[in-house]
Amino acid sequence: YDYSAVGNVVILASRLSDAAGPGQILISQRTHAQVDPHVVSEPVPDLELKGFSRPVVAMRLLELSD
């Protein structure tokens, strides 16, 4: 069998990866909510991503916190 990940989460991850600049890591608002206590991040302007009808809220991951 051949398995692969599909769906909106995978598409969003791909689009965020494409939108990130060199050395940047962009994460979704939902991912940020899960990792917030463990990272330092900053918001980026809402992103117009292909395949999404509304702007996507994202955060730029800066570093891991202590």
Side-chain angles (χ1 to χ4, degrees):
Y1 293 97
D2 215 6
Y3 295 97
S4 64
V6 295
N8 286 339
V9 173
V10 176
I11 294 167
L12 178 58
S14 175
R15 298 293 190 259
L16 288 173
S17 177
D18 291 344
Q24 283 186 336
I25 299 172
L26 298 180
I27 58 175
S28 69
Q29 186 176 27
R30 193 171 200 173
T31 300
H32 182 261
Q34 295 295 311
V35 300
D36 184 39
H38 309 288
V39 300
V40 176
S41 60
E42 66 183 9
V44 297
D46 289 354
L47 302 169
E48 298 284 342
L49 301 177
K50 180 181 172 185
F52 293 86
S53 59
R54 292 181 284 156
V56 173
V57 176
M59 303 291 286
R60 180 179 299 120
L61 184 63
L62 300 174
E63 62 186 41
L64 297 176
S65 60
D66 292 334

